[in-house]
Amino acid sequence: MSEDTEIINGRELSHFDQTIYFSKPVVKETNIMRAKSVVQALAAIALALLPSAAWAGYCGVARYNGCTPCCYQQHCHTVMKTVRCVEWHKQQVTCCKTVYDRVCEDRVINCTRYVHEQRQKEVCYTVCKPVWETKTRCYTVCKPVWETKTRNVCYTTYHPVWETKQRCYTVCKPVWETKTRNVCYTTYHPVWETKQRCYTVCKPVWETKQRCYTVCKPVWETRTREVPYTTYKTVWETRERNYTVCKPVWETREREETYYVRVAVPYTKTIQVRGGHWETETYQIPGKTCTKTVREPGTFTYDPCKCRCVYCPGPCKTLCCQCPPKTCCKKVWVPECHTKEICCTKYVCEPRTRTCCYKVCRMVPETRTCCYKVCRQVACQHTRTCCYKVCHMVPETKTCCYKVCHMVPETKTCCYKVCRMVPKQCTKTCCYKVCHMVPETKTCCYKVCRMVPKQCTKTCCYKVCHMVPETKTCCYKVCRMVPEQRTKTVCYSVCVPVCEQKTIKVTRCVPRQVPYTVCRCVPRVVCKQVPVCVRCPAPRCHCSDPSCGAPCCD
């Protein structure tokens, strides 16, 4: 094997073949290739070192089966064996990637512009026309009717009744004297009086009037004109374009990362522990304060109206009293503070290092071609004849009659009666006695005057008004709106398309190839000389066992 050749995948490649082979984008997994090469090397070493089931003679020239190791005297010698190993070399490869540059160019396109055009059309609308209608309605009027009634009125009068009593008194003796006096009182008697009042009633008076109004009458005229219009025909065109797709290529890499582990560290610290004990304390609660009312002793006082001594109670006083105090017990907590050592544990983060594998994706550009269709509109000019109508409004004068209602006031008079109470002064004579007190100690008689009520009845007249309903009829006019269909011409705008050409700026992407350098790991098979220990039997052997079928080596 020459120096200009390399072994790849079991075959030799020259420098020219290597250039063609490695210029293609090869996507391989690095770890998989390494594992395969290591396994092949270990398998070759194991095959070289593994002793055969048949013991070889003359370093493997002759092989014999069935001989036990006891028949031979073996010795080892070292032989150099050629082993193929895979080595990875870094190689700088120049690749090209596609970069798109934006180029602006002018392009003429067909566009449509809409122009407003005035047109006319007939529109139907509804007009409400007033129609007067005469109706009759009935209404009820309440008419007052006066009625005279009589009722009995009960009233109470009081007359004195004298009663003779005896009593023993020590000081005063009553002497009675009769006197007379006139008492004036007022009585009321009803007096009826007739009055009149005037009220106004509005009476409707109808008046007929005329008015003139102008109505526009439409007159239609038919005309003809030619209208150009444009139609568009669709034309499809097939085009091709190149685009670049990035294909992902994954690589496995290793890196060291630092992570932290929490480690428990014990330590001791001194703390203050709060404690205490209970103590009993005695305290006094003042007694409640209460309020009570006490009446003082009364006195006897002579009353001239009753002609005897009357007991008058003394005034009331409010006194404030306080109850004796009360002794109570309560428990009070007395705090204390103690010092104590406790064992604690704190966690400390320790940094550690580990190796992790990660994948890196790099995008390999790939150029593809696709076909697409472009739609283009081709304009075609046409002409058509259309008829339209033109409306002329001709004024026309009309006359209509309508009625107007005027309310004329009218005055009426009605009579009614009013009851008025007239007061009358009367006088009556009444007798009464006057008592003179003569002091004397003895038994005397005295009179007590007591007013006895007496029920009396008198008759009085009064009037009651009853409202009697009365039905009347009146006529009135009602206006009803009758819908009427009419027609008028309305102008409206229509957007008409107009085709025109316009130049616009179009951005186009122009591809270009940009070279860049990539560092790749290329596998290379290298032949190495590895020492291998080979066991060979001695040149002579003497088998004492006749069952051994091997010949003797003399």
Side-chain angles (χ1 to χ4, degrees), residues 28-42:
K28 294 182 180 180
E29 294 290 336
T30 307
N31 291 340
I32 296 175
M33 294 297 298
R34 290 182 181 178
K36 286 183 178 181
S37 62
V38 172
V39 169
Q40 291 175 2
L42 292 177

Side-chain angles (χ1 to χ4, degrees), residues 119-138:
R119 297 183 181 179
Q120 293 181 347
K121 65 178 179 180
E122 291 186 357
V123 177
C124 295
Y125 66 98
T126 304
V127 178
C128 292
K129 184 177 180 181
V131 177
W132 293 90
E133 182 180 352
T134 303
K135 293 186 179 180
T136 304
R137 69 175 178 182
C138 297

Side-chain angles (χ1 to χ4, degrees), residues 212-346:
C212 296
Y213 64 95
T214 302
V215 178
C216 290
K217 184 177 180 182
V219 177
W220 293 91
E221 181 184 353
T222 304
R223 296 181 183 179
T224 305
R225 68 177 174 183
E226 290 186 354
V227 178
Y229 66 97
T230 305
T231 58
Y232 291 90
K233 184 179 179 181
T234 305
V235 178
W236 292 91
E237 181 182 350
T238 303
R239 296 182 183 179
E240 290 185 356
R241 67 174 177 181
N242 296 327
Y243 64 96
T244 302
V245 179
C246 292
K247 188 176 180 181
V249 177
W250 292 92
E251 291 183 6
T252 303
R253 298 181 183 178
E254 292 183 355
R255 67 179 176 187
E256 290 187 355
E257 64 177 13
T258 304
Y259 67 98
Y260 293 88
V261 180
R262 297 185 65 189
V263 180
V265 178
Y267 69 97
T268 305
K269 72 175 181 179
T270 303
I271 61 171
Q272 299 290 333
V273 181
R274 294 183 180 180
H277 62 278
W278 293 94
E279 293 184 358
T280 304
E281 289 186 359
T282 304
Y283 64 96
Q284 286 188 350
I285 300 176
K288 295 183 179 180
T289 302
C290 60
T291 304
K292 64 180 180 178
T293 304
V294 180
R295 186 181 295 276
E296 294 184 355
T299 56
F300 284 91
T301 306
Y302 177 76
D303 189 359
C305 296
K306 297 182 179 180
C307 297
R308 62 187 179 91
C309 291
V310 180
Y311 176 77
C312 296
C316 295
K317 290 186 177 180
T318 302
L319 300 179
C320 186
C321 300
Q322 187 173 8
C323 298
K326 183 179 178 181
T327 303
C328 298
C329 296
K330 67 176 181 179
K331 286 189 175 182
V332 180
W333 174 260
V334 179
E336 296 179 356
C337 193
H338 303 281
T339 303
K340 184 179 179 181
E341 287 189 356
I342 61 172
C343 295
C344 302
T345 303
K346 65 179 179 179

Side-chain angles (χ1 to χ4, degrees), residues 223-229 382-388:
R223 296 181 183 179
T224 305
R225 68 177 174 183
E226 290 186 354
V227 178
Y229 66 97
H382 302 280
T383 305
R384 64 183 175 187
T385 303
C386 64
C387 298
Y388 64 97

